[in-house]
Amino acid sequence: MALKELFTEHPASVGETYGEHLVMATGFGARMILGGFACLLHGIFPFLFVKTGSAQISTLHERMVENRRTKQMPAILDFVI
């Protein structure tokens, strides 16, 4: 496999360029880290971030799974992590 393919094969499989995938994946990662931090704080201080974790999960699910379905991706990709 050529070096270029290592960076472009997966993004192409989800209908994105390398740059688009970079922006989307880093955005998802940042949201997950911040949402996880909010959940940790919520565990200690139950009055803080009461809906933040579930809101982040819903947002990320909508962006990843629902948008992927609208692109008519093969169902097998729903199971790829």
Side-chain angles (χ1 to χ4, degrees):
M1 179 176 287
L3 184 60
K4 181 180 178 184
E5 289 175 344
L6 291 174
F7 289 91
T8 59
E9 184 178 9
H10 170 67
S13 75
V14 294
E16 296 172 346
T17 66
Y18 172 78
E20 291 169 334
H21 191 70
L22 174 66
V23 170
M24 290 296 289
T26 55
F28 271 70
R31 269 190 181 266
M32 289 171 29
I33 289 167
L34 293 172
F37 187 65
C39 287
L40 290 171
L41 287 174
H42 173 72
I44 298 166
F45 306 106
F47 51 88
L48 294 177
F49 306 112
V50 175
K51 297 181 181 181
T52 303
S54 58
Q56 293 307 311
I57 291 168
S58 294
T59 298
L60 292 173
H61 180 269
E62 181 180 327
R63 286 187 182 175
M64 183 179 286
V65 177
E66 297 300 324
N67 286 347
R68 188 175 290 170
R69 285 187 187 138
T70 62
K71 289 182 180 182
Q72 301 299 319
M73 301 300 284
I76 191 69
L77 292 179
D78 290 344
F79 300 101
V80 176
I81 296 175

